[in-house]
Amino acid sequence: MTLLDRIERAAGVPGLAETLGSMPAADLRSLMLEVNRRQAARVKPAQVLAQYRRDKFTGAATQDPAAFAAFDLQAFSVLRAKGYTPVELSPVCPLGTVSALSPMDQNRVLTTERGTEVTADATNVLGLESAVRRSGRSWVKLCASHRLLRTQPFPAGWSQHFRLLALTIAGRDEGSFRFETASLRSHFEAIATLLPGCHIYLTDLNNHKTALQTRVITPLRDIVPITFDDTRTRGRGYYTDTCFDIHLNGTSVGDGGFVPWTRHLLGNNKERLLTAGLGVEMLLNATATPPRTDATHSAPADR
């Protein structure tokens, strides 16, 4: 017997999940808001504290918030100088922001009862914001530092919530892979300025090695080392054309690549979107002397 079977049998309503799932969204929200109101009315303060202590989604971060603030100040200064517009994102985004745009399961995000979900990937939300801002603009370059929450199991010592510095460049296909190589060059210049000593591993997913070599790797050879990585399997099916990993002091601190989100959002196959995500806790740990032993970890991009 599955969990749903047990719940439906206990409720005495066969097909309960199907019935609720087929209800108009507004009606279901109203029903669940009332259910939550009644459940919350039974909760005592001691129970709130007990849940706060045990719930993996609610604990405080272990990093000093001053370290986050200092990093954000530096990052936004560097990125603004490189043409990126910083954006302060909402804690929530529309229901399906992750699962409708990418092959990620909805169970990996925390869904609310108001047709929203707790932001699990700032690059997805910047994709939405890019689609809103694309009208009449050639390129839209955005960045955001945001605390994300994901619900899938993580290894021991990792946190369910973590800070991510997200970068996106949205634009239109210019032919001959020109937008792609120009936007990659822009991303890599900004990342190299922000993270001196980093190393970028580039994976070609669609037979563009010659263009990547001549237009990206060679022009940036005095700025940041970029190496082709043909062995990468993670992210294939998530990214299109090209993806990359960012390493600092031997640690993977971020990744990114091209995604088809703005094509789907705007209904135009000429739209292009390049993303990147840097795990801020990982960056702080990778640059700490000595390394922090009490800090939690999380993957900057779980593809």
Side-chain angles (χ1 to χ4, degrees):
M1 180 186 299
T2 67
L3 177 62
L4 284 178
D5 290 335
R6 182 185 65 76
I7 293 172
E8 290 177 349
R9 178 174 293 184
V13 184
L16 175 61
E18 178 65 28
T19 299
L20 293 176
S22 61
M23 288 178 63
D27 291 348
L28 180 61
R29 284 198 292 270
S30 296
L31 173 63
M32 294 308 301
L33 286 170
E34 177 60 21
V35 169
N36 287 335
R37 187 189 67 80
R38 295 186 184 194
Q39 289 186 333
R42 298 198 300 268
V43 174
K44 305 302 182 185
Q47 293 174 298
V48 175
L49 179 58
Q51 180 176 351
Y52 181 78
R53 283 173 167 161
R54 71 172 185 271
D55 196 316
K56 60 185 178 180
F57 300 135
T58 61
T62 58
Q63 285 279 4
D64 182 349
F68 291 130
F71 176 82
D72 285 351
L73 186 63
Q74 178 194 13
F76 289 145
S77 176
V78 168
L79 294 172
R80 196 186 296 274
K82 296 292 184 181
Y84 293 82
T85 300
V87 179
E88 182 71 12
L89 301 177
S90 169
V92 297
C93 52
L95 178 66
T97 293
V98 170
S99 61
L101 294 182
S102 71
M104 297 294 106
D105 191 275
Q106 185 65 28
N107 286 336
R108 291 194 171 201
V109 305
L110 187 64
T111 306
T112 81
E113 305 299 350
R114 294 182 180 270
T116 60
E117 60 193 41
V118 177
T119 300
D121 192 334
T123 59
N124 290 97
V125 185
L126 288 184
L128 294 174
E129 186 65 23
S130 297
V132 170
R133 299 188 185 204
R134 268 285 293 131
S135 177
R137 302 187 185 187
S138 55
W139 280 25
V140 174
K141 301 172 68 174
L142 303 178
C143 61
S145 181
H146 195 79
R147 191 150 205 91
L148 310 178
L149 187 145
R150 296 182 184 174
T151 61
Q152 76 265 32
F154 283 131
W158 291 44
S159 174
Q160 297 296 141
H161 58 85
F162 53 96
R163 183 166 290 276
L164 187 87
L165 177 66
L167 294 76
T168 58
I169 302 178
R172 186 177 179 84
D173 177 30
E174 300 172 5
S176 301
F177 211 55
R178 287 195 299 271
F179 170 82
E180 288 82 355
T181 51
S183 58
L184 280 168
R185 202 162 57 245
S186 179
H187 251 18
F188 293 168
E189 285 186 80
I191 290 168
T193 303
L194 182 61
L195 306 178
C198 72
H199 193 128
I200 296 173
Y201 293 89
L202 189 60
T203 300
D204 171 37
L205 301 175
N206 199 18
N207 300 316
H208 292 294
K209 266 193 173 181
T210 299
L212 291 168
Q213 179 67 56
T214 58
R215 301 183 206 164
V216 180
I217 297 177
T218 299
L220 296 179
R221 62 189 170 193
D222 295 329
I223 299 174
V224 57
I226 304 172
T227 304
F228 279 119
D229 178 8
D230 298 327
T231 65
R232 170 174 172 159
T233 58
R234 181 173 52 89
R236 293 177 184 265
Y238 185 97
Y239 293 119
T240 63
D241 293 315
T242 309
C243 58
F244 54 89
D245 276 313
I246 305 159
H247 286 236
L248 184 66
N249 296 337
T251 300
S252 176
V253 296
D255 83 341
F258 290 99
V259 290
W261 306 338
T262 49
R263 300 182 205 179
H264 302 323
L265 290 167
L266 297 173
N268 187 334
N269 284 332
K270 293 290 187 180
E271 290 294 323
R272 299 288 183 267
L273 183 67
L274 176 63
T275 69
L278 304 174
V280 179
E281 276 97 335
M282 286 186 166
L283 285 170
L284 294 176
N285 291 339
T287 56
T289 306
R292 290 283 303 276
T293 58
D294 62 334
T296 54
H297 305 277
S298 56
D302 180 34
R303 312 305 187 202

